[in-house]
Amino acid sequence: MRVRKAVIPAAGWGTRFLPATKAQPKEMLPLVDTPIIQFVVEEAIASGIEDILIITGRGKRAIEDHFDRSVELETFLTRNRKEGLLSSVKDLGNMADIHFVRQKEQLGLGHAILQARQHVGDEPFAVLLGDEIFVGAPPCLGQLMDVHEGLGGGSVVGVQEVVWEDVSRYGVIRPQQIRDRFYRALDLVEKPARHEAPSNLAIIGRYVLDPAIFEVLAETQPGRNGEIQLTDGLRQLNGSAPVYAYYPDTRRYDVGEKLGYLKATIELALERSELTEEFGDYLEELVGGRKRAQLRLARG
Ligand code: G1P
């Protein structure tokens, strides 16, 4: 069965980006001029998803407004003949069938996913987290959906290799390789200490899940950080319905932390035709100046 529905959890605090996220959702932080969550929604749509449920919480109104129509803004742009901007704003309201549900208490990612139970029902569904964005074709989630379709059941998590120092920031799998880029996940561990990690294949926030996960999550006890973890639910589910892992061929930006966010901003800006030349020259000058200063310092 082709996956039609996707769930995007967006209820977290965004503490890594405080104070910027004190009064605005971290999902609305822009990469050049586009909020992070829009990249995630566009990836879902490019993958063939028709229905999106965004799990929000307190202080997340801006996300709902972003995907709603703004008649006043459209009128203003029409009057001022800003056709390009007008279509970029108008299209947002028609992107897909987007729904919202609130997570009333923040009890963890597993708990956030559980809020989608009624909306998703009894069909396989996708989950996309906003801490990473993937750029380029074919879309990351679409690659996982193709694999899932070929399997005819079970769940598929996206994985990519991370440096060993970073494994404790992720869910990690114990892989049994089946073929190139494709694994059976023999075990899944949420944020293990480096010496306890079964591999450095990290779960990258893209999943295709068997609906049986809901039943499991309803019983899952708080784990790492006292939160109900999706990884723990998948570990449990793995006993009755197999969990696989796929290593998608795609460019990944870790926008959930500052350095990754800055790298994404710069690389995406360099890809914009209206910015690439001037911004590229500026960066070269900046880096060149820094190197010259370092050389001067080294020479004394
Ligand atoms: C979540 C998941 C983790 C996964 C990560 C990917 O962690 O719990 O398994 O590897 O997303 O971004 P979080 O970053 O929300 O702490």
Side-chain angles (χ1 to χ4, degrees):
M1 183 179 189
R2 186 75 186 167
V3 174
R4 301 183 303 126
K5 294 181 180 173
V7 176
I8 304 179
W13 288 111
T15 46
R16 286 196 204 120
F17 285 91
L18 279 170
T21 48
K22 184 180 171 212
Q24 73 168 333
K26 64 171 177 175
E27 294 79 9
M28 289 301 292
L29 292 176
L31 294 164
V32 189
D33 54 10
T34 303
I36 291 173
I37 194 156
Q38 192 178 325
F39 283 93
V40 179
V41 166
E42 282 171 357
E43 179 193 332
I45 293 170
S47 303
I49 292 294
E50 296 160 14
D51 176 299
I52 295 173
L53 180 69
I54 301 182
I55 317 284
T56 64
R58 273 190 173 282
K60 302 282 184 169
R61 271 280 299 280
I63 300 177
E64 295 183 36
D65 288 343
H66 185 69
F67 292 104
D68 194 4
R69 280 194 64 182
S70 169
V71 179
E72 300 90 329
L73 181 59
E74 287 173 24
T75 312
F76 172 79
L77 295 173
T78 310
R79 214 183 301 130
N80 290 283
R81 300 184 185 284
K82 308 256 186 214
E83 285 83 9
L85 289 176
L86 177 65
S87 71
S88 76
V89 162
K90 232 176 164 176
D91 291 353
L92 278 170
N94 312 320
M95 279 181 83
D97 212 354
I98 303 185
H99 308 266
F100 298 90
V101 67
R102 270 185 176 228
Q103 182 188 17
K104 292 190 184 61
E105 280 177 291
Q106 293 194 15
L107 301 180
L109 177 59
H111 181 257
I113 301 299
L114 199 49
Q115 310 308 305
R117 188 175 194 170
Q118 204 157 11
H119 184 90
V120 168
D122 193 25
E123 57 181 288
F125 65 104
V127 172
L128 303 98
L129 310 186
D131 285 347
E132 282 129 314
I133 61 155
F134 299 87
V135 181
C140 177
L141 178 66
Q143 295 182 43
L144 262 59
M145 284 163 62
D146 288 345
V147 170
H148 179 262
E149 214 172 331
L151 287 170
S155 302
V156 182
V157 302
V159 292
Q160 277 191 346
E161 232 167 358
V162 296
V163 291
W164 279 94
E165 293 75 64
D166 283 353
V167 287
S168 59
R169 287 185 41 211
Y170 294 92
V172 174
I173 66 157
R174 183 149 67 88
Q176 179 185 47
Q177 185 144 22
I178 296 176
R179 53 170 199 267
D180 189 31
R181 297 185 172 273
F182 185 53
Y183 309 85
R184 176 80 163 79
L186 297 178
D187 198 4
L188 302 100
V189 190
E190 181 64 12
K191 301 194 174 78
R194 181 186 168 154
H195 66 278
E196 279 166 356
S199 78
N200 62 341
L201 283 176
I203 302 173
I204 53 168
R206 296 294 180 276
Y207 311 76
V208 178
L209 299 178
D210 187 305
I213 191 69
F214 291 126
E215 225 166 284
V216 175
L217 285 174
E219 302 296 327
T220 301
Q221 297 304 309
R224 183 69 67 192
N225 301 332
E227 294 178 344
I228 297 171
Q229 296 290 352
L230 177 58
T231 306
D232 293 345
L234 283 167
R235 178 185 221 183
Q236 179 73 29
L237 179 69
N238 208 7
S240 52
V243 178
Y244 298 91
Y246 186 70
Y247 194 133
D249 183 11
T250 173
R251 198 149 44 105
R252 159 176 174 261
Y253 293 109
D254 187 356
V255 294
E257 51 96 30
K258 284 173 199 131
L259 188 61
Y261 176 80
L262 291 171
K263 286 181 185 170
T265 301
I266 288 176
E267 288 189 35
L268 294 171
L270 286 173
E271 281 173 19
R272 298 284 286 266
S273 57
E274 76 278 22
L275 293 171
T276 184
E277 215 180 302
E278 248 184 279
F279 188 50
D281 289 349
Y282 162 75
L283 283 179
E284 267 174 37
E285 219 166 280
L286 188 75
V287 173
R290 197 166 165 239
K291 280 203 180 123
R292 284 193 295 278
Q294 276 168 350
L295 267 178
R296 271 200 302 275
L297 256 178
R299 287 201 198 106

mmCIF file of all heavy atoms in Angstrom, residues 16 26 109-110 129-132 158 167 169-172 189-191 202-207 225 227 229-231 252 254, ligand 1:
data_model
loop_
_atom_site.group_PDB
_atom_site.id
_atom_site.type_symbol
_atom_site.label_atom_id
_atom_site.label_comp_id
_atom_site.label_asym_id
_atom_site.label_seq_id
_atom_site.Cartn_x
_atom_site.Cartn_y
_atom_site.Cartn_z
ATOM 1 N N ARG A 16 17.862 24.722 21.883
ATOM 2 C CA ARG A 16 19.196 24.961 21.301
ATOM 3 C C ARG A 16 19.283 26.308 20.598
ATOM 4 O O ARG A 16 20.364 26.788 20.319
ATOM 5 C CB ARG A 16 19.546 23.866 20.291
ATOM 6 C CG ARG A 16 19.907 22.566 20.954
ATOM 7 C CD ARG A 16 20.623 21.643 19.979
ATOM 8 N NE ARG A 16 20.444 20.276 20.444
ATOM 9 C CZ ARG A 16 19.858 19.326 19.741
ATOM 10 N NH1 ARG A 16 19.422 19.573 18.530
ATOM 11 N NH2 ARG A 16 19.720 18.131 20.230
ATOM 12 N N LYS A 26 10.757 27.040 16.622
ATOM 13 C CA LYS A 26 12.044 26.781 15.963
ATOM 14 C C LYS A 26 11.821 26.361 14.505
ATOM 15 O O LYS A 26 12.659 26.589 13.642
ATOM 16 C CB LYS A 26 12.842 25.713 16.711
ATOM 17 C CG LYS A 26 12.208 24.346 16.742
ATOM 18 C CD LYS A 26 13.153 23.303 17.315
ATOM 19 C CE LYS A 26 12.462 21.961 17.406
ATOM 20 N NZ LYS A 26 13.284 20.860 17.833
ATOM 21 N N LEU A 109 8.825 12.466 21.889
ATOM 22 C CA LEU A 109 8.507 12.249 20.480
ATOM 23 C C LEU A 109 7.486 11.124 20.291
ATOM 24 O O LEU A 109 6.554 11.235 19.485
ATOM 25 C CB LEU A 109 9.803 11.940 19.708
ATOM 26 C CG LEU A 109 9.665 11.623 18.228
ATOM 27 C CD1 LEU A 109 9.018 12.784 17.475
ATOM 28 C CD2 LEU A 109 11.031 11.296 17.633
ATOM 29 N N GLY A 110 7.640 10.047 21.064
ATOM 30 C CA GLY A 110 6.705 8.919 20.956
ATOM 31 C C GLY A 110 5.288 9.371 21.293
ATOM 32 O O GLY A 110 4.314 9.007 20.621
ATOM 33 N N LEU A 129 10.857 14.583 10.869
ATOM 34 C CA LEU A 129 11.250 15.511 11.931
ATOM 35 C C LEU A 129 11.972 16.692 11.296
ATOM 36 O O LEU A 129 12.627 16.561 10.268
ATOM 37 C CB LEU A 129 12.177 14.820 12.938
ATOM 38 C CG LEU A 129 11.704 13.476 13.494
ATOM 39 C CD1 LEU A 129 12.670 12.995 14.580
ATOM 40 C CD2 LEU A 129 10.297 13.586 14.047
ATOM 41 N N GLY A 130 11.841 17.848 11.956
ATOM 42 C CA GLY A 130 12.397 19.061 11.366
ATOM 43 C C GLY A 130 13.827 19.371 11.774
ATOM 44 O O GLY A 130 14.330 20.437 11.443
ATOM 45 N N ASP A 131 14.499 18.465 12.491
ATOM 46 C CA ASP A 131 15.880 18.755 12.895
ATOM 47 C C ASP A 131 16.857 18.574 11.760
ATOM 48 O O ASP A 131 17.999 19.006 11.833
ATOM 49 C CB ASP A 131 16.308 17.847 14.048
ATOM 50 C CG ASP A 131 15.670 18.295 15.347
ATOM 51 O OD1 ASP A 131 15.131 19.407 15.381
ATOM 52 O OD2 ASP A 131 15.714 17.525 16.317
ATOM 53 N N GLU A 132 16.419 17.841 10.745
ATOM 54 C CA GLU A 132 17.271 17.678 9.565
ATOM 55 C C GLU A 132 16.462 18.035 8.336
ATOM 56 O O GLU A 132 15.254 17.774 8.291
ATOM 57 C CB GLU A 132 17.738 16.227 9.437
ATOM 58 C CG GLU A 132 18.860 15.907 10.373
ATOM 59 C CD GLU A 132 18.573 14.655 11.167
ATOM 60 O OE1 GLU A 132 17.462 14.508 11.684
ATOM 61 O OE2 GLU A 132 19.467 13.821 11.242
ATOM 62 N N GLY A 158 15.013 5.906 8.222
ATOM 63 C CA GLY A 158 16.150 6.432 7.473
ATOM 64 C C GLY A 158 17.362 6.479 8.388
ATOM 65 O O GLY A 158 17.240 6.842 9.559
ATOM 66 N N VAL A 167 27.130 10.091 18.163
ATOM 67 C CA VAL A 167 26.089 9.045 18.245
ATOM 68 C C VAL A 167 25.125 9.273 19.417
ATOM 69 O O VAL A 167 23.942 8.945 19.327
ATOM 70 C CB VAL A 167 26.654 7.595 18.326
ATOM 71 C CG1 VAL A 167 27.209 7.145 17.003
ATOM 72 C CG2 VAL A 167 27.631 7.461 19.456
ATOM 73 N N ARG A 169 23.672 11.771 20.294
ATOM 74 C CA ARG A 169 22.607 12.749 19.982
ATOM 75 C C ARG A 169 21.450 12.114 19.217
ATOM 76 O O ARG A 169 20.462 12.779 18.917
ATOM 77 C CB ARG A 169 23.173 13.888 19.119
ATOM 78 C CG ARG A 169 24.072 14.849 19.861
ATOM 79 C CD ARG A 169 24.491 15.994 18.966
ATOM 80 N NE ARG A 169 23.382 16.456 18.150
ATOM 81 C CZ ARG A 169 23.516 16.964 16.930
ATOM 82 N NH1 ARG A 169 24.709 17.079 16.402
ATOM 83 N NH2 ARG A 169 22.461 17.361 16.248
ATOM 84 N N TYR A 170 21.613 10.838 18.845
ATOM 85 C CA TYR A 170 20.649 10.211 17.918
ATOM 86 C C TYR A 170 20.122 8.875 18.453
ATOM 87 O O TYR A 170 20.698 8.292 19.369
ATOM 88 C CB TYR A 170 21.331 9.916 16.582
ATOM 89 C CG TYR A 170 21.764 11.130 15.810
ATOM 90 C CD1 TYR A 170 23.048 11.646 15.960
ATOM 91 C CD2 TYR A 170 20.898 11.761 14.924
ATOM 92 C CE1 TYR A 170 23.465 12.761 15.236
ATOM 93 C CE2 TYR A 170 21.294 12.875 14.200
ATOM 94 C CZ TYR A 170 22.576 13.369 14.354
ATOM 95 O OH TYR A 170 22.968 14.465 13.647
ATOM 96 N N GLY A 171 19.073 8.379 17.786
ATOM 97 C CA GLY A 171 18.735 6.975 17.907
ATOM 98 C C GLY A 171 19.682 6.229 16.969
ATOM 99 O O GLY A 171 20.011 6.731 15.902
ATOM 100 N N VAL A 172 20.136 5.037 17.393
ATOM 101 C CA VAL A 172 21.145 4.312 16.613
ATOM 102 C C VAL A 172 20.656 2.875 16.418
ATOM 103 O O VAL A 172 20.011 2.316 17.300
ATOM 104 C CB VAL A 172 22.499 4.338 17.374
ATOM 105 C CG1 VAL A 172 23.543 3.486 16.677
ATOM 106 C CG2 VAL A 172 22.996 5.779 17.517
ATOM 107 N N VAL A 189 18.524 1.819 19.618
ATOM 108 C CA VAL A 189 18.840 2.374 20.940
ATOM 109 C C VAL A 189 18.781 3.892 20.866
ATOM 110 O O VAL A 189 19.396 4.495 19.986
ATOM 111 C CB VAL A 189 20.263 1.943 21.399
ATOM 112 C CG1 VAL A 189 20.483 2.324 22.859
ATOM 113 C CG2 VAL A 189 20.494 0.467 21.172
ATOM 114 N N GLU A 190 18.050 4.502 21.800
ATOM 115 C CA GLU A 190 17.926 5.962 21.795
ATOM 116 C C GLU A 190 19.111 6.597 22.513
ATOM 117 O O GLU A 190 19.401 6.286 23.658
ATOM 118 C CB GLU A 190 16.605 6.378 22.448
ATOM 119 C CG GLU A 190 16.351 7.877 22.473
ATOM 120 C CD GLU A 190 16.199 8.528 21.085
ATOM 121 O OE1 GLU A 190 16.071 7.809 20.079
ATOM 122 O OE2 GLU A 190 16.209 9.765 21.035
ATOM 123 N N LYS A 191 19.800 7.466 21.843
ATOM 124 C CA LYS A 191 20.902 8.273 22.386
ATOM 125 C C LYS A 191 21.850 7.477 23.293
ATOM 126 O O LYS A 191 21.982 7.781 24.487
ATOM 127 C CB LYS A 191 20.344 9.485 23.120
ATOM 128 C CG LYS A 191 19.499 10.367 22.203
ATOM 129 C CD LYS A 191 19.207 11.727 22.796
ATOM 130 C CE LYS A 191 18.501 12.626 21.804
ATOM 131 N NZ LYS A 191 17.080 12.384 21.613
ATOM 132 N N ALA A 202 22.942 6.434 12.400
ATOM 133 C CA ALA A 202 21.981 7.189 13.200
ATOM 134 C C ALA A 202 20.650 7.323 12.480
ATOM 135 O O ALA A 202 20.611 7.453 11.252
ATOM 136 C CB ALA A 202 22.541 8.575 13.479
ATOM 137 N N ILE A 203 19.572 7.305 13.241
ATOM 138 C CA ILE A 203 18.229 7.519 12.682
ATOM 139 C C ILE A 203 18.090 9.015 12.374
ATOM 140 O O ILE A 203 18.338 9.859 13.229
ATOM 141 C CB ILE A 203 17.150 7.081 13.693
ATOM 142 C CG1 ILE A 203 17.346 5.599 14.063
ATOM 143 C CG2 ILE A 203 15.752 7.318 13.128
ATOM 144 C CD1 ILE A 203 16.451 5.104 15.187
ATOM 145 N N ILE A 204 17.731 9.310 11.139
ATOM 146 C CA ILE A 204 17.812 10.694 10.672
ATOM 147 C C ILE A 204 16.469 11.434 10.610
ATOM 148 O O ILE A 204 16.344 12.443 9.934
ATOM 149 C CB ILE A 204 18.467 10.749 9.278
ATOM 150 C CG1 ILE A 204 17.730 9.801 8.335
ATOM 151 C CG2 ILE A 204 19.949 10.458 9.362
ATOM 152 C CD1 ILE A 204 18.096 9.981 6.890
ATOM 153 N N GLY A 205 15.497 10.932 11.309
ATOM 154 C CA GLY A 205 14.262 11.723 11.373
ATOM 155 C C GLY A 205 13.361 11.582 10.163
ATOM 156 O O GLY A 205 12.554 12.455 9.867
ATOM 157 N N ARG A 206 13.478 10.482 9.439
ATOM 158 C CA ARG A 206 12.538 10.151 8.366
ATOM 159 C C ARG A 206 12.146 8.691 8.575
ATOM 160 O O ARG A 206 13.020 7.818 8.676
ATOM 161 C CB ARG A 206 13.179 10.298 6.974
ATOM 162 C CG ARG A 206 13.587 11.715 6.615
ATOM 163 C CD ARG A 206 12.389 12.649 6.470
ATOM 164 N NE ARG A 206 12.772 14.008 6.137
ATOM 165 C CZ ARG A 206 13.142 14.935 7.021
ATOM 166 N NH1 ARG A 206 13.205 14.652 8.314
ATOM 167 N NH2 ARG A 206 13.448 16.151 6.630
ATOM 168 N N TYR A 207 10.844 8.446 8.663
ATOM 169 C CA TYR A 207 10.358 7.103 8.980
ATOM 170 C C TYR A 207 9.139 6.771 8.119
ATOM 171 O O TYR A 207 8.357 7.657 7.791
ATOM 172 C CB TYR A 207 9.852 7.016 10.427
ATOM 173 C CG TYR A 207 10.749 7.554 11.522
ATOM 174 C CD1 TYR A 207 10.882 8.922 11.738
ATOM 175 C CD2 TYR A 207 11.428 6.695 12.381
ATOM 176 C CE1 TYR A 207 11.675 9.424 12.773
ATOM 177 C CE2 TYR A 207 12.227 7.193 13.418
ATOM 178 C CZ TYR A 207 12.343 8.557 13.598
ATOM 179 O OH TYR A 207 13.121 9.053 14.617
ATOM 180 N N ASN A 225 15.889 10.704 28.960
ATOM 181 C CA ASN A 225 15.417 12.053 29.368
ATOM 182 C C ASN A 225 14.014 12.032 29.976
ATOM 183 O O ASN A 225 13.327 13.063 29.980
ATOM 184 C CB ASN A 225 15.409 13.037 28.189
ATOM 185 C CG ASN A 225 16.770 13.200 27.556
ATOM 186 O OD1 ASN A 225 17.778 13.022 28.233
ATOM 187 N ND2 ASN A 225 16.814 13.512 26.275
ATOM 188 N N GLU A 227 11.410 10.804 28.722
ATOM 189 C CA GLU A 227 10.400 11.028 27.684
ATOM 190 C C GLU A 227 9.984 9.716 27.021
ATOM 191 O O GLU A 227 10.773 8.770 26.964
ATOM 192 C CB GLU A 227 10.971 11.957 26.599
ATOM 193 C CG GLU A 227 11.244 13.360 27.119
ATOM 194 C CD GLU A 227 11.842 14.261 26.057
ATOM 195 O OE1 GLU A 227 12.326 13.745 25.025
ATOM 196 O OE2 GLU A 227 11.828 15.475 26.270
ATOM 197 N N GLN A 229 9.829 7.656 24.099
ATOM 198 C CA GLN A 229 10.678 7.743 22.912
ATOM 199 C C GLN A 229 10.123 6.883 21.776
ATOM 200 O O GLN A 229 9.757 5.722 21.980
ATOM 201 C CB GLN A 229 12.108 7.276 23.245
ATOM 202 C CG GLN A 229 12.819 8.146 24.271
ATOM 203 C CD GLN A 229 13.184 9.532 23.728
ATOM 204 O OE1 GLN A 229 13.042 9.816 22.536
ATOM 205 N NE2 GLN A 229 13.633 10.409 24.606
ATOM 206 N N LEU A 230 10.117 7.436 20.573
ATOM 207 C CA LEU A 230 9.706 6.678 19.384
ATOM 208 C C LEU A 230 10.651 5.492 19.164
ATOM 209 O O LEU A 230 10.215 4.389 18.812
ATOM 210 C CB LEU A 230 9.703 7.599 18.157
ATOM 211 C CG LEU A 230 9.369 6.948 16.821
ATOM 212 C CD1 LEU A 230 7.996 6.288 16.851
ATOM 213 C CD2 LEU A 230 9.419 7.977 15.684
ATOM 214 N N THR A 231 11.930 5.730 19.399
ATOM 215 C CA THR A 231 12.912 4.649 19.203
ATOM 216 C C THR A 231 12.588 3.452 20.098
ATOM 217 O O THR A 231 12.687 2.299 19.663
ATOM 218 C CB THR A 231 14.339 5.167 19.511
ATOM 219 O OG1 THR A 231 14.569 6.335 18.717
ATOM 220 C CG2 THR A 231 15.390 4.133 19.200
ATOM 221 N N ARG A 252 22.273 15.968 3.408
ATOM 222 C CA ARG A 252 21.584 16.181 4.682
ATOM 223 C C ARG A 252 22.150 17.401 5.404
ATOM 224 O O ARG A 252 23.352 17.595 5.449
ATOM 225 C CB ARG A 252 21.782 14.934 5.525
ATOM 226 C CG ARG A 252 21.594 15.095 7.002
ATOM 227 C CD ARG A 252 21.739 13.740 7.691
ATOM 228 N NE ARG A 252 21.704 13.895 9.115
ATOM 229 C CZ ARG A 252 22.776 13.925 9.882
ATOM 230 N NH1 ARG A 252 23.979 13.797 9.377
ATOM 231 N NH2 ARG A 252 22.659 14.072 11.186
ATOM 232 N N ASP A 254 21.969 19.178 9.169
ATOM 233 C CA ASP A 254 21.537 19.030 10.543
ATOM 234 C C ASP A 254 21.178 20.415 11.084
ATOM 235 O O ASP A 254 21.996 21.075 11.719
ATOM 236 C CB ASP A 254 22.706 18.411 11.329
ATOM 237 C CG ASP A 254 22.323 18.062 12.737
ATOM 238 O OD1 ASP A 254 21.182 18.358 13.126
ATOM 239 O OD2 ASP A 254 23.166 17.501 13.451
HETATM 240 C C1 G1P B 1 14.938 12.437 17.649
HETATM 241 C C2 G1P B 1 14.868 10.913 17.826
HETATM 242 C C3 G1P B 1 16.196 10.283 17.499
HETATM 243 C C4 G1P B 1 16.633 10.690 16.103
HETATM 244 C C5 G1P B 1 16.658 12.211 15.968
HETATM 245 C C6 G1P B 1 16.922 12.632 14.536
HETATM 246 O O1 G1P B 1 15.773 12.960 18.651
HETATM 247 O O2 G1P B 1 14.468 10.628 19.163
HETATM 248 O O3 G1P B 1 16.097 8.884 17.587
HETATM 249 O O4 G1P B 1 17.911 10.152 15.821
HETATM 250 O O5 G1P B 1 15.419 12.793 16.371
HETATM 251 O O6 G1P B 1 16.947 14.015 14.410
HETATM 252 P P1 G1P B 1 15.755 14.523 19.054
HETATM 253 O O7 G1P B 1 16.653 15.207 18.085
HETATM 254 O O8 G1P B 1 14.350 14.970 18.970
HETATM 255 O O9 G1P B 1 16.305 14.581 20.445
#
